[in-house]
Amino acid sequence: GFKLKLCNNGENSSNSTFFPAHKFILAARIPFVAKKCRPGGEWFKTDVVEIEDKFTQNAFEALIKYCYMDILDIAFEDSEDFFDVCRYFHLNPLIEAVRPRIVQAKQTAIAKTKNGKKNRVARFLDVNPLDSKQLETDLRRMFFYSNGYAQDNPKSFHWSCDVAFNCNNVDLFAHHSILCSRSQYFSTLLTLDSRVFVESSDNTISLNHVSPSNLTTILDYLYSGSPDFEGYLGDNIDNILQLVDNTSSMLLPELQTLLSKYIIDLGIITLENVFSWLEISDIYDAGILRNNCTAILGEYFINLPAWDNFDYKEDAVSVWLCLEKENETVSQFGQHLVKLADKKDPRQEKEWYKPQKDGEEGAADFLIAEVREGMVESMYCINFSMAKRDKITDGFELASDKW
């Protein structure tokens, strides 16, 4: 990091304003700063950069906020000064993008005031003024540029990086402030009093429990928010499963959610392996995966040719064992079972699932009773204790009452 010192054309330094900032953030967002900060640039070795011009503090703060948050928040009265700041940093595309919108917003505010309406908004506020993902795009580019530099210069940090990770003899370079602000795991790992960080040499930490491709995926997520799973993982099951474990151990639930959606989109969860994925979803508390597995099982039961041919009672027990702790998912499974009873009996014209007389059970009741019976029979085969059998069957009956 460094400080930007805003000086007013040679005025006393006591009137100057300091803005703490990170070189790599400003370099990622402003090409002019990147050129100044790279090796050989006039800002490369300095900790304080003096900006001598007649910029207001508000306009300068607005630019810093834009660089960090992709939000432009500027008072109308400071807008022209803001454009001067942008010109100083050669940000003409930003000026071209927002000037018409600021002018229009200002005219609307003036018109409301003339019509006697109180104008409470004397500011222009725009989220992502250039592009919906411009900040993420700029940070991702900086991350890959930094690591591309490292590959061309082995054992050499990129000028903006301050931490490196060694994964099975592969070095990946990153920025301390990004990782700590985006991840509790890295914030703990990289604190100055962390034993791992203190014992590291040259700010290089070994993370051999993570593969290079998976750590790249994780870092890409921390920088951009949308990692390229297809490019890093493809359909390699081993890498995918390892990343599922990494997202859990490194406390990254949002990344786990994105990964779960990618797994589902790949279509690799099938009837043949659904119980394995149910177990995985239970171990890592991956609700999206669990719901997908439940839907697959539900479709399997719904699409059976006829209930008379149903001989998968042991599967019914397996389903319940996987789902008994998840009330919401149990309810979904029950709804799938009841849907099976909505099918017409091919041997009769009438809808066979409806009770024919008062007090008579319909096909849905029959279906649930049969699944319960299948559970009881299968549990005898796998040597469950009486208490365990009672717990499962009682739980099933309680759930089925709601269905």
Side-chain angles (χ1 to χ4, degrees):
F2 68 155
K3 293 181 179 179
L4 296 173
K5 181 180 179 182
L6 189 60
C7 305
N8 292 321
N9 283 350
E11 290 185 9
N12 192 304
S13 60
S14 62
N15 296 325
S16 300
T17 306
F18 289 87
F19 296 87
H22 299 87
K23 283 185 179 180
F24 80 93
I25 289 282
L26 299 186
R29 303 287 278 143
I30 306 175
F32 174 82
V33 175
K35 183 178 180 180
K36 295 279 189 178
C37 288
R38 65 170 58 113
E42 60 183 283
W43 295 356
F44 177 57
K45 293 184 178 181
T46 184
D47 293 328
V48 178
V49 173
E50 294 190 2
I51 308 295
E52 295 190 5
D53 217 316
K54 291 184 178 180
F55 302 140
T56 65
Q57 180 176 336
N58 291 337
F60 205 78
E61 284 179 343
L63 180 63
I64 300 296
K65 183 176 182 178
Y66 162 75
C67 290
Y68 275 81
M69 302 176 65
D70 234 1
I71 294 174
L72 181 54
D73 183 8
I74 185 74
F76 290 142
E77 63 183 15
D78 293 319
S79 59
E80 288 301 322
D81 197 51
F82 173 76
F83 294 143
D84 289 338
V85 177
C86 291
R87 292 187 189 96
Y88 179 89
F89 287 102
H90 300 184
L91 290 174
N92 294 325
L94 181 60
I95 298 174
E96 294 172 2
V98 301
R99 181 188 283 277
R101 280 176 275 174
I102 290 179
V103 171
Q104 182 178 6
K106 188 185 296 185
Q107 291 173 346
T108 301
I110 293 173
K112 287 183 178 180
T113 303
K114 288 181 178 179
N115 291 333
K117 297 181 180 179
K118 290 184 178 181
N119 178 28
R120 296 181 180 179
V121 181
R123 305 184 65 83
F124 175 79
L125 179 64
D126 193 3
V127 180
N128 305 317
L130 284 181
D131 183 85
S132 60
K133 293 185 178 181
Q134 189 61 44
L135 176 60
E136 291 88 344
T137 299
D138 289 341
L139 292 180
R140 169 182 275 163
R141 184 177 63 248
M142 173 60 78
F143 168 66
F144 284 107
Y145 177 76
S146 302
N147 282 279
Y149 174 88
Q151 292 176 4
D152 294 336
N153 301 271
K155 303 300 180 182
S156 176
F157 270 70
H158 179 258
W159 61 265
S160 70
C161 297
D162 52 11
V163 64
F165 300 99
N166 184 274
C167 306
N168 301 308
N169 297 320
V170 176
D171 289 330
L172 289 173
F173 295 81
H175 303 89
H176 186 282
S177 54
I178 285 285
L179 303 188
C180 291
S181 64
R182 293 275 287 145
S183 163
Q184 182 60 48
Y185 173 86
F186 283 107
S187 179
T188 302
L189 183 70
L190 299 176
T191 53
L192 295 179
D193 57 352
S194 166
R195 182 179 62 83
V196 176
F197 192 64
V198 169
E199 293 179 357
S200 66
S201 60
D202 299 327
N203 289 358
T204 299
I205 298 175
S206 294
L207 288 179
N208 290 324
H209 67 287
V210 188
S211 69
S213 62
N214 282 358
L215 184 58
T216 302
T217 306
I218 291 169
L219 294 177
D220 186 8
Y221 161 73
L222 295 177
Y223 277 78
S224 69
S226 54
D228 180 14
F229 289 122
E230 185 175 358
Y232 302 134
L233 304 175
D235 57 0
N236 188 307
I237 298 297
D238 290 338
N239 285 347
I240 289 173
L241 291 176
Q242 186 188 42
L243 186 56
V244 170
D245 182 70
N246 295 149
T247 59
S248 176
S249 64
M250 300 172 79
L251 308 178
L252 296 167
E254 294 86 0
L255 179 57
Q256 184 194 77
T257 297
L258 294 175
L259 179 59
S260 296
K261 293 178 180 178
Y262 175 72
I263 291 170
I264 293 170
D265 291 342
L266 277 180
I268 57 178
I269 303 177
T270 64
L271 191 59
E272 289 72 23
N273 62 25
V274 67
F275 290 112
S276 296
W277 281 103
L278 268 173
E279 183 178 2
I280 291 169
S281 69
D282 185 55
I283 291 173
Y284 297 106
D285 193 25
I288 293 177
L289 288 181
R290 185 185 299 113
N291 293 344
N292 182 252
C293 292
T294 306
I296 290 174
L297 286 167
E299 290 301 316
Y300 168 64
F301 284 110
I302 290 171
N303 293 318
L304 287 173
W307 179 247
D308 293 340
N309 296 327
F310 183 75
D311 57 0
Y312 304 99
K313 296 176 180 178
E314 187 171 346
D315 282 355
V317 177
S318 299
V319 172
W320 185 256
L321 292 177
C322 290
L323 306 182
E324 64 171 320
K325 296 180 181 178
E326 301 296 332
N327 292 333
E328 181 179 351
T329 312
V330 169
S331 177
Q332 291 175 2
F333 176 60
Q335 291 169 12
H336 286 307
L337 285 179
V338 174
K339 284 181 182 178
L340 176 58
D342 289 343
K343 300 177 67 174
K344 291 184 178 181
D345 187 340
R347 296 168 296 182
Q348 301 181 34
E349 293 296 328
K350 58 187 177 183
E351 293 180 331
W352 61 279
Y353 59 88
K354 294 181 179 178
Q356 302 304 308
K357 300 177 182 178
D358 290 341
E360 184 182 37
E361 289 188 341
D365 300 303
F366 171 75
L367 178 62
I368 293 172
E370 281 289 290
V371 173
R372 181 191 181 284
E373 180 184 346
M375 288 181 173
V376 174
E377 292 179 6
S378 298
M379 284 188 290
Y380 280 114
C381 298
I382 51 183
N383 297 321
F384 276 162
S385 67
M386 180 67 72
K388 181 68 173 176
R389 291 201 298 268
D390 289 345
K391 179 182 178 182
I392 293 175
T393 53
D394 289 348
F396 183 83
E397 288 176 354
L398 287 173
S400 63
D401 287 343
K402 298 178 182 179
W403 305 337

